[in-house]
Amino acid sequence: MKNISRENTFKLICSVRDIVEKEIGLPKYFEEDSSKINMELSEVDFQGVSNGFLSEIVYAITGYEVEVIGEVEELFSCPCCGFKTLTELYDRIEGTGYEICPYCNWQDDGTSDINSYRSINKGSIVDYRNELRINSNKYYTNKWLDGKG
Ligand SMILES: [Zn+2]
């Protein structure tokens, strides 16, 4: 199996996206909502994304089985779903955090009590975990590294 770097994987995805956008005139679909026209990908969108998931994307685009290699950027584990999705942790003193997990949608507010109702999340961590069990987003289960490992 051939290797491809994370950097080249990003370039591949951007170039394919450019072609598709030109072909179908993607921005035209959003004329009524101009805020959505600038949907350019940035490398930040791939921070923490697992090499396995990127390999799947390369396969979906090209049909080639390749192994994406390179160091995955270190992110923090979401207190709710456990995937490494957060670029910073909640810190009341520093005033940082409050990130919304892109997998489970839990907003990190420093809660460690999983049963505690949080008004910012309109529910508890247990509620969010139950919701994930019912409506798991299978497409993303391989996207981020598991915080436990
Ligand atoms: Zn999460």
Side-chain angles (χ1 to χ4, degrees):
M1 199 184 290
K2 297 232 181 219
N3 292 337
I4 180 172
S5 67
R6 288 177 69 83
E7 189 187 4
N8 281 336
T9 301
F10 179 70
K11 285 180 190 165
L12 170 73
I13 293 167
C14 288
S15 61
V16 169
R17 195 186 148 97
D18 279 350
I19 293 166
V20 172
E21 269 185 10
K22 282 189 190 104
E23 195 66 36
I24 67 173
L26 193 59
K28 281 187 212 146
Y29 290 98
F30 304 109
E31 269 172 2
E32 286 175 23
D33 185 1
S34 57
S35 65
K36 288 185 178 170
I37 288 176
N38 290 322
M39 299 196 326
E40 279 180 29
L41 285 173
S42 79
E43 297 204 39
V44 175
D45 295 318
F46 290 92
Q47 265 186 11
V49 174
S50 73
N51 287 334
F53 186 78
L54 293 177
S55 296
E56 288 176 22
I57 292 176
V58 172
Y59 180 73
I61 292 173
T62 65
Y64 292 113
E65 285 187 24
V66 298
E67 184 177 356
V68 174
I69 55 165
E71 199 161 316
V72 182
E73 302 78 8
E74 188 70 22
L75 298 184
F76 299 100
S77 295
C78 167
C80 181
C81 67
F83 286 111
K84 292 191 172 186
T85 58
L86 306 177
T87 61
E88 59 181 9
L89 284 176
Y90 172 81
D91 187 319
R92 191 188 320 168
I93 294 153
E94 296 286 329
T96 56
Y98 292 105
E99 267 188 48
I100 295 173
C101 171
Y103 179 61
C104 71
N105 292 318
W106 175 261
Q107 183 164 15
D108 183 21
D109 64 351
T111 307
S112 55
D113 178 359
I114 62 170
N115 292 302
S116 168
Y117 177 91
R118 311 303 296 176
S119 54
I120 197 171
N121 281 297
K122 298 185 174 63
S124 68
I125 287 178
V126 167
D127 294 335
Y128 274 64
R129 287 178 182 170
N130 288 337
E131 179 61 28
L132 267 185
R133 263 192 285 278
I134 298 163
N135 293 314
S136 67
N137 189 344
K138 293 182 177 65
Y139 179 71
Y140 284 120
T141 50
N142 191 27
K143 187 169 179 180
W144 294 281
L145 299 177
D146 191 325
K148 291 163 225 136

